Amino acid sequence: MSILTAWSTAEPQVQRPKVAQAGLTRELRIDGSREDFSVLSGGILGPKEILALTFRQDAQIRLYDRQGKRIAIVGKRGSGPGEYRSPQAQRWIDDTLWIYDNSLSRSTLVSSTGELVRVMPSSSLPQMRMWPIDSQVEIRSWIPSGRS
């Protein structure tokens, strides 16, 4: 009687699907220590490459150019025109930034240089949602300077 035993330690040949590879390129770095950043709540890159960063804790939006130079600090804590309790940069409309403040139930429009254009009650909001957003790029994550 003969017994034949065979085994293989090699993995079976399985066709694995090819996975697309993507890379990241650092386009801009803003030093959070030098700029005295608190907690970043979000940001939006405008059509003229102006970056609007929201700092709800400080009740302000900061505008930066393509090189990372600060253009303006928009707002402060309060409830008057140009003041916020819980601001959030929503989107750019040409060279105007739309900022919504949920706590004050109002929208504010600010120029790309940081100047107050208009303050509107939240009842104006549905019309604003109809504006085109083709050129919007939203920042979905943020790595503070000094942490890679």
Side-chain angles (χ1 to χ4, degrees):
M1 172 177 204
S2 279
I3 299 178
L4 177 62
T5 308
W7 67 88
S8 173
T9 57
E11 291 184 28
Q13 296 296 322
V14 177
Q15 282 292 81
R16 293 195 171 115
K18 293 191 181 214
V19 178
Q21 299 293 316
L24 294 175
T25 303
R26 179 181 288 170
E27 296 284 342
L28 171 65
R29 181 182 179 108
I30 299 172
D31 187 334
S33 297
R34 191 184 73 227
E35 289 294 314
D36 193 27
F37 281 178
S38 61
V39 178
L40 179 66
S41 303
I44 298 177
L45 183 63
K48 295 186 179 177
E49 297 190 340
I50 296 175
L51 181 61
L53 300 179
T54 300
F55 296 91
R56 278 195 209 136
Q57 181 176 317
D58 299 331
Q60 60 184 219
I61 310 287
R62 297 184 194 180
L63 304 179
Y64 292 89
D65 68 13
R66 179 84 170 109
Q67 289 72 42
K69 179 182 174 206
R70 186 177 348 120
I71 297 169
I73 295 178
V74 177
K76 62 180 180 178
R77 188 162 307 283
S79 56
E83 296 177 338
Y84 308 101
R85 289 192 190 148
S86 182
Q88 182 63 53
Q90 296 293 313
R91 64 181 35 113
W92 286 93
I93 304 147
D94 293 323
D95 65 346
T96 303
L97 179 64
W98 166 30
I99 301 166
Y100 181 69
D101 190 320
N102 190 46
S103 296
L104 295 174
S105 296
R106 70 177 185 204
S107 295
T108 302
L109 298 178
V110 176
S111 75
S112 60
T113 59
E115 295 176 47
L116 179 65
V117 174
R118 185 173 177 193
V119 178
M120 299 168 291
S122 61
S123 60
S124 301
L125 190 58
Q127 295 173 321
M128 295 181 76
R129 287 189 176 156
M130 305 287 284
W131 291 342
I133 58 169
D134 313 5
S135 58
Q136 299 305 301
V137 177
E138 293 187 33
I139 296 174
R140 299 212 183 264
S141 62
W142 179 261
I143 300 173
S145 178
R147 298 182 196 156
S148 2

